[in-house]
Structures are given as structure tokens and as C-alpha cells.
């Protein structure tokens, strides 16, 4: 017998084999797929949302579901009108409702809280920004509540409002957006018992469900599955799921289901209609071709630069719940930058850097320092420059007195990813990808100075963001260590750009 919750139901919708693995091989779960910081953000948002409808009572999470059910009954019997984490069970199906509102006629309004953002409130031109998984989650709750005999009047989704900008006190009625999905949830009701029957049958079977029947895009969507190392263990190297260059997941799955398993199979099937760049990845790999170099394309890119050249990289802090004025949910607040300046191709480097003070809004200080460090007419270069340019534009919008200077830098920014994304250079070690974390070791596989893994504490942008977010909570000694690690990490990002550009120059 398998007991389901709303998260288990959604896992089963993603892949019924996850439930079988949970039952039989749970120790193989790779917990590194769980992002602790994101889970913590979800908890903080959930706690804040509980107060949206005023006074409330909360059913405390407990190991024993029976206690949560008893508490819920106690609050309902007492006539409480807003109950957070109200819990219900029907047969083997259990669910806790984020916010339950009890109407005077005894019917329920159910609110599911997610820490994701909604679309801008004024944007009603497109489908609402709701993931299928949220609807499945709500459909399961509706099923359990109605099966228990309750009348559910409405099902709503509460998300963070991306168009809310904090000014002064946090206004949770503007911070959150509540959208009604009652009809969409009701239209899924026929699917719920069918899904329950299907996924519990798989979960309760004795033999392991064959991986080949299940593996595919679902192993990463909507969430990365922690059993991939096990289920994918017999997949050959260079299988079709390793094809990069933005080939759609549905196309790869289509090839896989058609028995085209490896890149070699793709070549034997005349390329399967893939475009030039993925085909270059495949031929380079299968035929062992040397790096592809389009000298004209690289030269054109290099000719678009002028010196002194300003190699620039931001690190940012996306706050789900805005902590400062003039911040919206998940705005990428720039917290630090690294800058290498080079006066002539291959010339010596000057390094400058900025790192905001922990717990403080760094934007004014960082904007002023950028204007001091980079002249308006300077050529700035970044890797995946759309990110840096967007942050610069946001700073320009925030500080009108610096706007002209910042927007000149914005206009003068070039993108070092272009030669790779446009296919002017490709080598086997890139594996169909073009990020700096792939291109750098492809060019310099054995250089310890350019090895992100050799860094202390901070090895990627997510770690940098998480470290800065909690920096003010650390001891003075740890703050010093973490700040040093943040500076080192960001410095490597711009040093990597310098070396990559040097390498491109030598290629032509
Ligand atoms: S790795 Fe893929 S096939 Fe295996 S349980 Fe997870 S989602 Fe299912």
C-alpha cells in the first residue's frame, strides 16, 4: 500500500517510476538535485503568505498525519475561518492545503502558494503563467477535499507579483497575486483517479519498471530527478540526449523512441533533419574531427572591439521577497563585479573589483564605481552580455544622474559568447554547449589558474548569490573568508574572458 501526498502525486505525474524508486531504492536518491536555498525561499514565502487574509490558525507540520488531521478538525469545529496547512485524507491520499478559507455556508476557498512569480498584472494578452505541475497539484487537492465530502467553492494560486516594487513597508497585498483556477482544476478531475490508479500500480509492482520505458525529458522536467544516475546507467555515451545547441527535448525524445540512441545512429540516419550546429557537434564527436574554426567570423568579432577593453562580470542577488526599496521580486540586484582592463591586444592587465557590504543595498555604490572605472566611450565585453546589459540598464533607470554614462556603456558592450553561439568555433570538449564554464576548460584543460573547481568555497553564480544573501548572518571571521572567496570567483570570470579572447586571437 502506498500513501500519497500532493508532492508524491506530482512526482508520479512526472514519472511513475519515481514512486517505485522511493519505495524500493530510496537510498539511491541524489539529494544534490534539491536546492536547499530554493526550498528555504519557498518556506519564507509560504510563511509570509499565511497572513494575506488576516488572522489565521496554523496546523503544525508533524511526523504523524493523524495529528495534523485532528488539529484541522479541531480548528474547523471551532469555527476558524482561515487555516494554514489544513490537512485532509481520503483513503491513502493525504493533502495539506496552504491556505484554507472557510465560507459562512461551510464551503471552502483553497489557496495554493508558490514562490514563483506571476506575469505582470497588466499583461493579460497571453496564457497565464502557470506551470502544468501547479494545476496538477491543485487538482489533487480538489479531488481529496471533494472525496472527503467538502464543497470547494474556488481553487486559487497565489504567486509573487513581478510588477510589485517595494516602497517603504512591505505590502503583502501587492507583493502577492491571487489568480482563480477553479475551472481549470475542475476540468482535470476525471484525470486524477486515472492517474492515481496508474501511478500506484507502478509503485506497488514487485519488479523494477524498465528504465527504457521511462527515461527521457521527464527526468529533468518539471524537476530534475535524483534517480538519474541509476536509471541512466546503461545509456551509451554520446546518446541523443547529449546533443546541445538548443535542439528541443521533444526532438531528442522522438529520436530515442524511434530507436536512434546514439550520435552515430543520427549520422547513419542522414542527420535526422538536425541543423548545422548540432550536426557539427555530432560529426566532430563521431568522426573525431579537429576543432572547427571560422576565421572570418572570429575576425569580424574581434574587429568589433576597441581598446582599452573592459572585461566585465556581475554577480547578483535575486531576492524573492524584496528587502530594499525599489526592488521587485527576484530582481537580480548586482552585488559585485570584477573588471580586467587591457590597453592593447595581449597587453598587461589592470584588475578592479567591487563587492557590496553584506546586508546593504549595494546598487548606488556599484553604479558610481562602474562609472568611475569604465569611461562612457570604453568598449565593455561580457560573456552572455544580455545579463550584464540588463543590470546596467536597470541601474540607469534607478539613478537618472548616472543614466547617460551607464547607457553609453550599455551601448558599447560586446558579447564574448557570440563567436561560440554563432558557431565560429567548435571543438569536441564543448559537448554542444557554449557557456564560459565549458569553453574555458575546452581551451585550457590543464591550467590550474583557470580551474573553477580549484576555487575555495564559491564555484558558480548560484553559490555566489546564496553566499551573499546570507553573508550578514555569518561570524566576522567567516564574512572575511566568504568575501575573499566571492572576489576570487568573480575575478576568475573576467580572467577567463581575457584568456578566451587571447585564444581566439591566436586562432586567426
Ligand atoms: S531518472 Fe527518469 S526514469 Fe528514473 S525515476 Fe527519475 S524520472 Fe523516472
Amino acid at each position: 500500500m502506498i500513501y500519497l501526498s500532493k508532492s508524491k502525486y506530482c512526482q508520479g505525474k512526472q514519472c511513475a517510476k519515481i514512486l517505485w524508486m522511493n519505495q524500493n531504492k530510496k537510498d539511491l536518491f541524489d539529494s544534490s538535485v534539491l536546492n536547499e536555498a530554493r526550498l528555504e525561499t519557498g518556506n519564507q514565502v509560504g510563511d509570509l503568505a499565511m497572513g494575506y487574509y488576516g488572522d489565521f490558525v496554523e496546523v503544525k507540520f508533524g511526523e504523524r498525519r493523524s495529528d495534523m488531521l485532528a488539529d484541522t478538525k479541531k480548528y474547523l469545529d471551532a469555527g476558524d475561518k482561515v487555516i494554514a496547512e489544513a490537512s485532509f485524507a481520503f483513503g491513502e491520499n493525504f493533502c495539506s492545503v496552504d491556505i484554507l478559507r472557510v465560507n459562512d455556508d461551510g464551503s471552502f476557498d483553497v489557496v495554493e502558494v508558490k514562490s514563483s512569480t506571476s506575469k505582470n498584472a497588466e499583461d493579460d494578452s497571453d496564457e497565464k503563467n502557470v506551470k502544468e505541475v501547479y494545476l496538477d497539484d491543485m487538482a489533487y487537492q480538489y479531488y481529496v477535499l471533494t472525496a472527503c465530502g467538502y464543497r470547494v467553492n474556488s481553487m486559487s494560486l497565489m504567486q509573487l507579483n513581478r510588477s510589485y516594487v517595494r516602497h517603504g513597508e512591505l505590502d503583502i497585498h501587492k507583493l502577492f497575486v491571487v489568480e482563480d483556477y477553479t475551472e481549470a482544476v475542475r476540468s482535470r478531475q476525471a484525470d486524477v483517479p486515472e492517474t492515481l490508479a496508474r501511478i500506484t500500480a507502478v509503485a506497488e509492482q514487485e519488479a523494477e519498471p524498465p528504465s527504457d520505458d521511462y527515461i527521457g525529458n521527464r527526468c529533468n522536467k518539471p524537476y530534475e530527478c535524483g534517480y538519474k544516475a541509476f536509471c541512466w546507467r546503461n545509456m551509451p555515451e554520446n546518446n541523443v540526449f547529449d546533443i546541445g545547441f538548443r535542439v528541443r527535448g521533444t526532438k531528442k525524445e522522438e529520436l530515442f523512441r524511434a530507436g536512434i540512441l546514439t550520435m552515430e545512429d543520427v549520422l547513419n540516419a542522414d542527420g535526422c533533419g538536425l541543423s548545422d550546429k548540432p550536426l557539427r557537434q555530432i560529426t566532430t564527436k563521431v568522426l573525431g574531427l579537429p576543432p572547427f574554426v571560422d576565421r572570418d567570423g572570429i575576425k569580424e568579432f574581434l574587429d568589433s572591439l576597441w581598446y582599452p577593453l573592459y572585461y566585465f562580470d556581475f554577480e547578483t542577488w535575486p531576492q524573492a521577497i524584496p528587502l530594499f526599496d525599489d526592488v521587485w521580486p527576484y530582481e537580480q540586484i548586482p552585488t559585485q563585479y570584477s573588471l580586467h582592463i587591457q590597453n592593447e591586444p595581449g597587453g598587461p592587465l589592470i584588475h578592479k573589483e567591487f563587492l557590496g557590504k553584506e546586508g546593504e543595498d549595494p546598487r548606488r555604490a556599484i553604479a558610481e564605481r562602474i562609472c568611475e572605472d569604465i569611461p562612457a566611450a570604453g568598449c565593455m565585453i561580457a560573456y552572455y552580455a544580455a545579463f550584464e546589459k540588463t543590470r546596467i540598464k536597470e541601474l540607469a533607470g534607478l539613478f537618472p544622474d548616472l543614466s547617460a554614462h551607464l547607457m553609453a556603456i550599455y551601448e558599447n558592450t560586446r558579447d564574448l559568447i557570440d563567436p561560440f553561439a554563432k558557431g565560429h568555433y567548435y571543438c569536441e570538449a564543448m559537448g554542444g554547449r557554449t557557456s564560459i564554464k565549458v569553453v574555458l576548460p575546452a581551451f585550457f584543460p590543464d591550467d590550474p589558474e583557470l580551474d573553477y573547481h580549484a576555487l575555495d568555497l564559491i564555484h558558480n553564480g548560484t553559490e555566489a548569490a546564496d553566499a551573499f544573501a546570507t553573508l550578514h548572518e555569518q561570524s566576522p571571521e567567516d564574512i572575511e573568508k566568504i568575501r575573499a572567496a566571492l572576489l576570487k570567483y568573480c575575478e576568475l570570470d573576467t580572467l577567463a574572458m581575457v584568456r578566451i579572447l587571447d585564444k581566439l586571437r591566436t586562432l586567426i
Side-chain angles (χ1 to χ4, degrees):
M1 174 103 34
I2 176 170
Y3 290 93
L4 292 182
S5 60
K6 55 186 188 181
S7 61
K8 287 210 174 94
Y9 176 81
C10 293
Q11 281 185 328
K13 282 285 283 190
Q14 177 174 345
C15 173
K17 186 169 178 178
I18 298 178
L19 301 183
W20 189 90
M21 295 292 291
N22 286 343
Q23 294 283 99
N24 297 282
K25 292 184 183 291
K26 199 169 176 50
D27 53 319
L28 296 177
F29 185 81
D30 172 10
S31 57
S32 69
V33 300
L34 304 174
N35 183 327
E36 294 296 333
R38 197 176 309 145
L39 294 175
E40 179 54 28
T41 296
N43 290 337
Q44 288 171 0
V45 170
D47 288 349
L48 192 61
M50 286 179 192
Y52 187 90
Y53 295 103
D55 291 343
F56 65 92
V57 290
E58 181 184 358
V59 174
K60 291 291 175 203
F61 178 79
E63 285 301 308
R64 285 162 29 126
R65 289 177 169 180
S66 55
D67 292 344
M68 297 176 74
L69 296 172
D71 275 358
T72 303
K73 184 171 181 323
K74 181 181 74 186
Y75 291 137
L76 285 173
D77 290 347
D80 284 300
K81 293 295 185 191
V82 182
I83 307 174
E85 302 298 336
S87 300
F88 304 90
F90 175 70
E92 291 78 45
N93 296 293
F94 173 90
C95 76
S96 290
V97 170
D98 289 339
I99 302 173
L100 183 79
R101 302 176 71 202
V102 184
N103 298 312
D104 290 342
D105 65 0
S107 65
F108 290 167
D109 289 323
V110 172
V111 183
E112 171 69 12
V113 180
K114 297 290 183 196
S115 58
S116 50
T117 51
S118 68
K119 280 191 157 184
N120 290 342
E122 62 271 18
D123 181 1
D124 59 1
S125 59
D126 207 348
E127 281 186 359
K128 290 176 178 171
N129 178 26
V130 59
K131 292 179 180 171
E132 284 291 304
V133 66
Y134 296 169
L135 288 176
D136 287 331
D137 190 332
M138 290 193 285
Y140 174 78
Q141 295 176 54
Y142 186 98
Y143 172 82
V144 173
L145 267 65
T146 52
C148 289
Y150 295 107
R151 268 186 304 129
V152 179
N153 180 54
S154 72
M155 298 291 303
S156 301
L157 182 66
M158 184 186 286
Q159 291 176 283
L160 292 166
N161 177 9
R162 208 171 167 75
S163 59
Y164 168 69
V165 180
R166 179 171 185 164
H167 297 295
E169 279 295 295
L170 195 64
D171 183 343
I172 66 166
H173 294 101
K174 290 182 179 160
L175 172 66
F176 290 107
V177 180
V178 182
E179 293 171 301
D180 186 288
Y181 285 98
T182 310
E183 284 317 307
V185 166
R186 284 190 179 134
S187 71
R188 287 176 184 234
Q189 286 310 294
D191 175 57
V192 178
E194 281 173 26
T195 301
L196 286 170
R198 178 176 58 80
I199 64 180
T200 50
V202 174
E204 288 171 356
Q205 72 186 45
E206 264 187 37
E208 181 193 334
S211 288
D212 283 357
D213 292 353
Y214 289 90
I215 59 178
N217 294 326
R218 61 159 60 94
C219 301
N220 294 306
K221 282 187 178 176
Y223 304 110
E224 187 177 359
C225 178
Y227 294 117
K228 270 166 62 183
F230 176 77
C231 293
W232 289 64
R233 67 195 183 287
N234 295 324
M235 278 289 271
E237 268 190 50
N238 308 312
N239 61 70
V240 288
F241 290 102
D242 293 329
I243 300 172
F245 287 112
R246 296 176 180 270
V247 173
R248 283 180 298 115
T250 48
K251 173 73 177 178
K252 297 179 202 175
E253 181 127 10
E254 189 185 296
L255 296 175
F256 178 66
R257 300 280 166 230
I260 296 173
L261 199 58
T262 65
M263 294 190 190
E264 200 160 8
D265 296 338
V266 173
L267 280 192
N268 291 336
D270 289 336
C272 299
L274 294 176
S275 62
D276 287 354
K277 282 186 260 179
L279 280 179
R280 184 170 297 135
Q281 178 195 351
I282 293 168
T283 50
T284 302
K285 183 77 204 174
V286 175
L287 306 177
L289 299 182
F292 171 84
V293 183
D294 168 11
R295 288 180 174 74
D296 290 343
I298 293 174
K299 183 172 184 314
E300 191 182 335
F301 173 75
L302 294 175
D303 287 348
S304 74
L305 311 176
W306 65 96
Y307 284 78
L309 192 53
Y310 296 82
Y311 302 84
F312 187 87
D313 183 66
F314 273 132
E315 298 305 325
T316 57
W317 175 18
Q319 300 172 350
I321 301 167
L323 296 177
F324 310 130
D325 276 356
D326 296 307
V327 175
W328 60 81
Y330 292 109
E331 179 180 352
Q332 301 275 354
I333 297 173
T335 53
Q336 73 174 106
Y337 68 75
S338 171
L339 172 68
H340 276 96
I341 306 170
Q342 200 172 35
N343 286 314
E344 58 189 353
L349 298 169
I350 300 163
H351 184 241
K352 300 194 176 208
E353 60 193 356
F354 175 95
L355 174 56
K357 181 145 176 47
E358 54 277 4
E360 290 182 6
D361 184 349
R363 289 174 297 171
R364 178 70 202 186
I366 207 168
E368 286 177 356
R369 277 287 300 278
I370 290 169
C371 293
E372 281 170 27
D373 286 346
I374 305 176
C379 179
M380 187 168 114
I381 186 165
Y383 205 100
Y384 188 61
F387 185 82
E388 269 66 28
K389 287 180 74 173
T390 305
R391 305 294 80 80
I392 296 264
K393 195 173 185 178
E394 287 163 357
L395 291 173
L398 196 57
F399 305 116
D401 57 320
L402 303 175
S403 176
H405 192 126
L406 290 168
M407 287 311 291
I409 294 171
Y410 173 95
E411 295 296 340
N412 290 336
T413 299
R414 300 293 178 265
D415 198 339
L416 186 52
I417 202 173
D418 280 354
F420 307 99
K422 291 180 178 173
H424 301 326
Y425 179 88
Y426 182 76
C427 69
E428 186 183 330
M430 287 166 61
R433 290 168 294 156
T434 55
S435 82
I436 195 168
K437 302 288 192 295
V438 168
V439 171
L440 184 70
F443 275 162
F444 306 99
D446 302 313
D447 188 336
E449 186 197 26
L450 300 176
D451 184 356
Y452 282 96
H453 299 103
L455 291 171
D456 195 21
L457 298 176
I458 311 290
H459 311 89
N460 56 55
T462 305
E463 287 178 1
D466 293 346
F468 192 86
T470 54
L471 196 53
H472 58 287
E473 298 165 6
Q474 312 298 330
S475 67
E477 300 78 49
D478 284 347
I479 287 175
E480 204 177 314
K481 264 190 241 160
I482 295 166
R483 288 182 68 87
L486 283 165
L487 290 170
K488 268 282 166 221
Y489 166 70
C490 199
E491 182 179 355
L492 180 51
D493 269 341
T494 48
L495 183 63
M497 282 192 262
V498 174
R499 298 288 180 248
I500 289 170
L501 195 74
D502 283 349
K503 185 75 177 179
L504 287 177
R505 210 174 283 287
T506 65
L507 290 173
I508 63 163

